[in-house]
Amino acid sequence: MTDSCAAGGPRAGLPPALAVLTAGRPAGSLSGGSSTTGFFSVASPELKRCSMARGCLQGVKFLMFAFNLLFWLGGCGILGVGIWLAATQGNFATLSSSFPSLSAANLLIVTGTFVMAIGFVGCIGAIKENKCLLLTFFVLLLLVFLLEATITILFFAYTDKIDRYAQRDLKKGLHLYGTPGNVGLTNAWGIIQTDFRCCGVSNYTDWFEVYNATRVPDSCCLEFSDSCGLHAPGTWWKAPCYETVKMWLQENLLAVGIFGLCTALVQILGLTFAMTMYCQVVKADTYCA
C-alpha cells in the first residue's frame, strides 16, 4: 500500500479533470498554503463548468423525458382508438376502390404505432443520456415533420387535380356497392348519404350507371323505407355527397387548421428538446471527462 502511494504521488486518486490540470506540476506544489491556493484557482473554473453542464443536462433531461412520455401516451391513445374501431366498426371501410386498406381504423393503428415508437426512443434516449438515441429521435421526428409539410404544400398546389382524381375514384367505387366482400364500402356510403343528406358523388344519377336503372340506394331517400330507392326522384336527396362533405370541411377549416398548427408546434418542441439535450450531453462529456 505504501509503495502504491509512493508511486502515484500526491495526484493519486484525483479525478481525471483535476489530474490533467496538475500534469507537469512539481509534486511539492500540491502541498503548502500558496501552492494549494494556486492549484484550486486553476481547477475551479473547470469544476464550475462541469457542474453547470451537469445541472443544465438534468433540467433538459427531465423536460425531454416528460415530453416523450406524453408523446408515447398519446400514441397509445391513438392506437387504442384504432383497435377499438377495427374491433367494433370493422365493417366500416374506405370509400376508395384504389386504396381498400385506407380505412380510418388502419390509419389510426399505423399512426399510433409510429408515434409510440418515436416516443419510446425519445424516452430511452433521455433516461440513458444516449447521444445516438437522441439523434435518432431528432431525425425521425424531423422526417415526419418534413413529410407532413410536403404533403400539405402538394395538396394546396394540386387541389384541382386531387378533386378530379378523388371524384373519379369514388365513382369507380360505387360499382362495388352491395357486392360480396365489400360490406364496409356499402355501409360507409349508407352512413355518409344518411348523415349528410346527399346522394351519389356528383349527382344522384351516378347510381343509375351502377344499377343500370333509374334507382338509388335506400339511404338516398328523404324518408327511409324498404325499396324507397325505386320511387320517383322527388323522394331522394339531390345534394352531391362530394361537394357536401367538402363544404362541411371548409366550414370546419378553422378547427382543422388549429389541430394542424398544434401538431406542428408539438413536433417543433420535440425537435428543440432533442437537440438541446444532445448539445448538453456533449458539453457534459467535454467538461467532465
Side-chain angles (χ1 to χ4, degrees):
M1 181 69 179
T2 305
D3 294 337
S4 169
C5 292
R11 298 185 187 90
L14 286 175
L18 299 185
V20 172
L21 293 174
T22 60
R25 296 173 63 90
S29 65
L30 297 181
S31 61
S34 60
S35 298
T36 304
T37 303
F39 163 72
F40 280 108
S41 66
V42 174
S44 181
E46 195 72 22
L47 288 174
K48 284 182 179 179
R49 281 194 290 267
C50 176
S51 177
M52 288 178 63
R54 293 302 305 177
C56 291
L57 177 59
Q58 292 304 312
V60 177
K61 177 180 179 179
F62 173 78
L63 292 174
M64 179 73 176
F65 177 78
F67 172 83
N68 281 283
L69 181 61
L70 293 175
F71 201 71
W72 183 81
L73 290 174
C76 289
I78 295 173
L79 178 63
V81 172
I83 294 174
W84 176 79
L85 280 177
T88 61
Q89 308 290 331
N91 289 333
F92 187 84
T94 178
L95 299 174
S96 173
S97 59
S98 301
F99 305 98
S101 299
L102 196 64
S103 64
N106 290 343
L107 284 175
L108 289 174
I109 290 173
V110 171
T111 302
T113 303
F114 197 65
V115 170
M116 283 180 62
I118 294 178
F120 180 77
V121 171
C123 281
I124 299 301
I127 293 173
K128 298 293 185 180
E129 299 177 10
N130 188 293
K131 290 184 287 187
C132 181
L133 289 177
L134 290 172
L135 203 57
T136 301
F137 172 82
F138 179 86
V139 171
L140 288 175
L141 198 56
L142 181 61
L143 288 175
V144 171
F145 180 79
L146 292 176
L147 179 62
E148 291 172 348
T150 302
I151 291 174
T152 302
I153 293 171
L154 291 176
F155 176 80
F156 285 107
Y158 297 97
T159 302
D160 293 337
K161 291 184 178 179
I162 293 173
D163 274 345
R164 289 194 295 271
Y165 175 81
Q167 291 188 57
R168 187 168 58 250
D169 189 57
L170 289 172
K171 288 180 180 179
K172 183 180 176 182
L174 291 181
H175 292 273
L176 300 176
Y177 183 88
T179 58
N182 289 291
V183 179
L185 183 142
T186 302
N187 290 344
W189 269 113
I191 292 172
I192 288 176
Q193 293 185 142
T194 301
D195 290 351
F196 286 93
R197 300 181 176 184
C198 59
C199 189
V201 178
S202 57
N203 198 298
Y204 65 86
T205 56
D206 293 337
W207 289 108
F208 295 174
E209 298 179 11
V210 177
Y211 290 109
N212 290 320
T214 306
R215 180 186 176 184
V216 297
D218 294 343
S219 57
C220 281
C221 297
L222 299 174
E223 295 182 6
F224 179 84
S225 63
D226 290 336
S227 301
C228 63
L230 293 171
H231 298 164
T235 62
W236 307 332
W237 299 114
K238 299 297 189 299
C241 287
Y242 187 84
E243 291 300 326
T244 303
V245 173
K246 185 178 177 181
M247 190 179 300
W248 179 82
L249 288 173
Q250 289 174 346
E251 290 173 353
N252 294 274
L253 194 60
L254 179 61
V256 175
I258 291 174
F259 175 78
L261 183 61
C262 290
T263 302
L265 289 176
V266 167
Q267 292 172 346
I268 292 172
L269 193 63
L271 291 171
T272 304
F273 280 145
M275 187 50 63
T276 302
M277 184 170 180
Y278 178 84
C279 293
Q280 290 299 327
V281 171
V282 172
K283 283 184 180 180
D285 288 347
T286 302
Y287 294 144
C288 304

